[in-house]
Amino acid sequence: MTDFGPIHVVEPRAPHAHTIILLHGRGSTGEEFAKELFESKLSTGKTLQEHLGSWRWVFPSSAELWSTAFEEDMPAWFEAHSLTDTTARQDLQMAGIRDSVRYLTRLLGQEVDRLGGSSGKVVLSGISQGGAIGLWSLLCAGADGAAGRLGGFVGASAWLPFADELERHLGREAQAQQDTIRAADTGEVDSDAFLEELAGATRGTLREPNASQQGLLSVPVFLGHGTDDAYVDVSLGRRAAVVLGKIGLRVEWREYSGAEQEGHWLKEPEELDDIVRFLESISAV
């Protein structure tokens, strides 16, 4: 069984009204991500925590996994052999995605319970690889009771692992045709079984008559990405937004330039302002 790291929690400064779960990138931890995030400022000069005082901030930590690229153990939600070619060695990604999605789905359920079952008051978020596993958790939680009706999703500098396969598996065209994924070349049979295991139930819910008004398709998504991101190319984020849209999700896509860490961070203050606006629109519902 995978051992995940400690969960860093920052409690609300006002009466608890909403919770956001934020997932760090590869090589980081929940506590480190929290420290960096709360050093970033909005155009008002406030931090996210200061502006959203009634929110509970939950920063889980991933497990330590062996990296074939760096040849060492490091914090990671799953093994990503290459970000230049995200389809390279996809077989290495499956175990980590499976374990992390299951772990995060349980965590989502716990935070929903903490708010009396009001899943619409819980938001899932992530940066870089945290955004990637967050998107998978969102899609796979779509058939998991309250966890499938989250208030929203926020991703930054993220991508969608198995994007092409998910489009075929969950996309509207596949739903309309009542289709199943067919193996096209060597190695795809394994990904078929993997997708069916984690997202098969979600595909069933997407075909229900009121799917667009409830469950997964009612969850608003915000995705921001730097056009100058040196680590996760903006084309990967664009592709994620397109696939989510083809599944039927409402995606707000924003591009930025000039962020710190060679474009692989939240652009201050513009992206932070956009995220606050997005979160406040959720809390107003």
Side-chain angles (χ1 to χ4, degrees):
M1 186 175 181
T2 303
D3 293 324
F4 289 88
I7 299 175
H8 180 71
V9 177
V10 178
E11 296 292 352
R13 298 180 173 185
H16 183 202
H18 294 82
T19 293
I20 183 167
I21 299 173
L22 305 104
L23 310 177
H24 64 77
R26 181 170 65 176
S28 185
T29 65
E31 185 173 5
E32 182 178 313
F33 182 29
K35 181 177 183 297
E36 292 176 343
L37 182 64
F38 290 149
E39 289 174 351
S40 301
K41 299 291 182 66
L42 304 167
S43 58
T44 60
K46 291 184 177 182
T47 65
L48 286 170
Q49 182 192 13
E50 290 169 342
H51 188 89
L52 299 170
S54 63
W55 288 65
R56 171 179 159 93
W57 306 80
V58 179
F59 296 86
S61 294
S62 71
E64 293 264 342
L65 301 179
W66 176 257
S67 169
T68 57
F70 296 98
E71 296 188 339
E72 63 176 340
D73 287 323
M74 63 191 309
W77 298 103
F78 58 91
E79 163 60 354
H81 183 71
S82 170
L83 288 181
T84 305
D85 177 9
T86 57
T87 63
R89 295 302 310 273
Q90 284 185 307
D91 58 302
L92 297 176
Q93 301 178 33
M94 294 180 187
I97 290 176
R98 179 186 293 110
D99 289 347
S100 292
V101 164
R102 289 174 176 170
Y103 169 70
L104 293 171
T105 299
R106 290 195 300 272
L107 180 59
L108 280 167
Q110 292 167 8
E111 292 301 325
V112 168
D113 289 344
R114 187 180 290 272
L115 281 164
S118 299
S119 57
K121 295 182 178 180
V122 176
V123 173
L124 184 60
S125 176
I127 189 169
S128 192
Q129 194 188 70
I133 197 62
L135 284 172
W136 259 84
S137 299
L138 172 68
L139 295 175
C140 296
D144 187 42
R149 297 186 295 276
L150 297 175
F153 179 89
V154 176
S157 300
W159 76 100
L160 183 61
F162 293 91
D164 293 346
E165 292 85 349
L166 281 168
E167 180 181 350
R168 291 197 300 270
H169 196 77
L170 298 178
R172 285 173 169 172
E173 183 177 345
Q175 296 166 39
Q177 295 174 352
Q178 294 283 303
D179 205 359
T180 57
I181 301 175
R182 294 178 175 84
D185 48 21
T186 303
E188 197 169 320
V189 173
D190 288 340
S191 66
D192 292 350
F194 171 66
L195 286 162
E196 185 62 28
E197 175 191 355
L198 290 184
T202 299
R203 184 175 60 179
T205 64
L206 294 177
R207 293 171 176 164
E208 295 175 356
N210 297 321
S212 61
Q213 283 78 45
Q214 58 189 8
L216 175 63
L217 298 187
S218 68
V219 180
V221 175
F222 176 93
L223 294 178
H225 211 115
T227 56
D228 52 352
D229 192 323
Y231 297 96
V232 179
D233 193 82
V234 67
S235 63
L236 295 175
R238 291 170 181 159
R239 176 63 178 147
V242 167
V243 172
L244 293 175
K246 288 186 175 181
I247 291 171
L249 286 153
R250 295 173 291 133
V251 181
E252 179 179 344
W253 169 258
R254 297 282 180 175
E255 295 184 4
Y256 307 90
S257 63
E260 295 182 0
Q261 300 184 31
E262 298 181 83
H264 193 62
W265 184 247
L266 299 163
K267 178 67 170 74
E268 298 179 53
E270 295 89 344
E271 189 170 2
L272 291 168
D273 287 349
D274 286 341
I275 290 172
V276 162
R277 173 186 48 77
F278 178 80
L279 294 176
E280 288 182 334
S281 71
I282 291 170
S283 61
V285 175

